Amino acid sequence: MKKRFKKWIAVLMTALLVASVFAACAKTEGEQPAGSDGKLSVVTTIFPEYDWVIQVLGDRAEAADVRMLLDNGADLHNYQPTADDMIAISTCDLFIYVGGESDEWVEDALANATNQNMLTVNLLEALGSQVKEEETVEGMQPEEEEADEDEPEYDEHVWLSLKNAQQLVSVIAEKLGDADPDYRQTYLDNAAAYSEQLAALDGQYQAAVDAANVKTLVFGDRFPFRYMTDDYGLRYYAAFAGCSAETEASFETVSFLSQKVDEYGLNYVMTIEGTDHKLAQTVVENTTAKTQQLLSLNSMQSVTAKDVEAGNTYLDIMQSNLTVLTQALNN
């Protein structure tokens, strides 16, 4: 696929960055590394991981140094680490990342880490067989494929399942306990209490779906919500797969989605967060009624440091998504 070529180039650039960063580090050996002040140092790639760590740390969060790399709205699929990012990873106590194709740069970063005792959490590895292969459903815009592509491509958006979140929070608590054993039980207790909140919200999702008179969603956009829809038995159609690098949908794709909106009598066409919803509006314009509203679900791929400072949490966003989903499923 085109995106595989782009990722190969990105990995090459990362390797060059790693070489330059750690050459520089070698020259400044006497400088004090991050985390040497005795603070627990945790680096996460994306917002859900960051917020889970904060929740598990609880009152201990103020005594730890927790960093989110993608803090300026950069998309996971296009992110490349800076020199400062690489140094932070190299010296931290615990590094948490998704582990899919978008994180191919991580291998070089870990191989050159100066903290040989660093612990890691790879979300996809932690979930094991629960990770789903990315799928192309009926009507979805296909990507250009390379002839020698044999390896399966996995859907990275595992954090959008509240069931997955519970399991991952438990893994994170264990790793934090390994990194900071004096407070292991505190982390386990905090994780258990937080998981109860995740489970309660999961129950609210299931109740909302059970009570809904619609069980189908049409996305005029990318679709990173497969884990969520599979959790509750929802059917979906979308213009692009969740990790797709495509930006233009064919007339056939738009026409197919519009027909599905008509077929199921939907009053809403779905999008993900962002400001460009032209494709979804085009889908609406090609329906019979042409009166459908657009509704956006938040995939948490563009949460910024400012959003975090404003108090946004994983649970808050998933609660907001439930409100949107409930509206979409009740025509």
Side-chain angles (χ1 to χ4, degrees):
M1 296 182 187
K2 287 190 294 185
K3 67 180 174 182
R4 283 190 181 275
F5 176 73
K6 291 178 182 177
K7 290 184 189 299
W8 183 85
I9 293 296
V11 170
L12 177 61
M13 294 301 292
T14 300
L16 294 174
L17 175 62
V18 168
S20 63
V21 166
F22 291 102
C25 286
K27 293 178 182 177
T28 56
E29 230 175 275
E31 294 182 7
Q32 192 177 42
S36 60
D37 58 358
K39 273 191 172 184
L40 177 66
S41 174
V42 184
V43 174
T44 71
T45 53
I46 59 174
F47 168 72
E49 301 159 350
Y50 173 87
D51 192 57
W52 293 338
V53 169
I54 295 298
Q55 300 302 324
V56 172
L57 288 173
D59 292 340
R60 287 282 298 160
E62 294 184 4
D65 178 13
V66 186
R67 177 170 177 174
M68 179 175 74
L69 297 184
L70 278 74
D71 64 356
N72 62 356
D75 187 280
L76 171 67
H77 310 95
N78 300 316
Y79 167 76
Q80 284 302 306
T82 66
D84 285 345
D85 293 341
M86 298 298 285
I87 292 171
I89 294 168
S90 174
T91 57
C92 71
D93 298 308
L94 175 61
F95 177 48
I96 305 174
Y97 60 106
V98 177
E101 277 195 3
S102 299
D103 283 344
E104 287 182 344
W105 56 269
V106 168
E107 185 176 344
D108 285 327
L110 295 181
N112 290 280
T114 58
N115 181 4
Q116 298 303 308
N117 296 316
M118 180 201 302
L119 300 174
T120 63
V121 175
N122 176 323
L123 301 191
L124 298 193
E125 283 187 1
L127 290 171
S129 61
Q130 293 164 242
V131 176
K132 303 175 186 291
E133 287 188 32
E134 193 170 278
E135 64 176 358
T136 301
V137 300
E138 182 186 10
M140 188 178 283
Q141 183 78 23
E143 290 192 274
E144 295 180 16
E145 295 189 10
E146 295 176 354
D148 61 349
E149 186 175 337
D150 296 319
E151 295 182 5
E153 187 173 346
Y154 294 101
D155 191 324
E156 300 173 339
H157 308 92
V158 293
W159 61 88
L160 291 168
S161 161
L162 287 159
K163 302 180 194 303
N164 287 348
Q166 293 172 65
Q167 183 172 333
L168 294 170
V169 164
S170 177
V171 171
I172 289 170
E174 290 287 349
K175 289 289 186 176
L176 284 171
D178 291 341
D180 191 18
D182 288 346
Y183 292 91
R184 171 182 293 277
Q185 194 58 51
T186 296
Y187 302 146
L188 296 178
D189 291 344
N190 289 344
Y194 183 59
S195 290
E196 288 183 5
Q197 296 180 63
L198 294 170
L201 186 54
D202 178 36
Q204 292 176 40
Y205 268 80
Q206 188 62 64
V209 172
D210 290 345
N213 56 18
V214 172
K215 309 291 184 183
T216 301
L217 299 171
V218 171
F219 275 75
D221 212 326
R222 286 164 54 187
F223 183 75
F225 294 98
R226 184 183 173 198
Y227 290 96
M228 178 189 289
T229 54
D230 282 3
D231 277 352
Y232 309 113
L234 294 170
R235 181 190 295 110
Y236 76 89
Y237 299 96
F240 311 111
C243 297
S244 175
E246 302 294 330
T247 57
E248 298 293 332
S250 67
F251 171 78
E252 289 77 15
T253 295
V254 171
S255 178
F256 176 87
L257 295 176
S258 298
Q259 290 171 17
K260 287 300 176 184
V261 172
D262 287 340
E263 177 183 340
Y264 290 101
L266 304 180
N267 291 332
Y268 304 99
V269 171
M270 309 302 295
T271 65
I272 64 173
E273 73 276 16
T275 58
D276 185 4
H277 297 148
K278 293 179 182 177
L279 176 57
Q281 191 58 54
T282 302
V283 170
V284 170
E285 291 168 359
N286 282 273
T287 64
T288 300
K290 308 184 190 313
T291 57
Q292 290 82 8
Q293 297 178 44
L294 303 186
L295 290 178
S296 292
L297 287 172
N298 190 337
S299 66
M300 290 183 258
Q301 296 180 91
S302 302
V303 179
T304 67
K306 288 184 178 180
D307 295 325
V308 173
E309 291 172 7
N312 286 277
T313 69
Y314 175 83
L315 273 175
D316 289 339
I317 295 174
M318 289 299 284
Q319 184 68 60
S320 295
N321 279 342
L322 174 57
T323 300
V324 173
L325 186 65
T326 301
Q327 183 177 353
L329 296 178
N330 288 277
N331 278 352

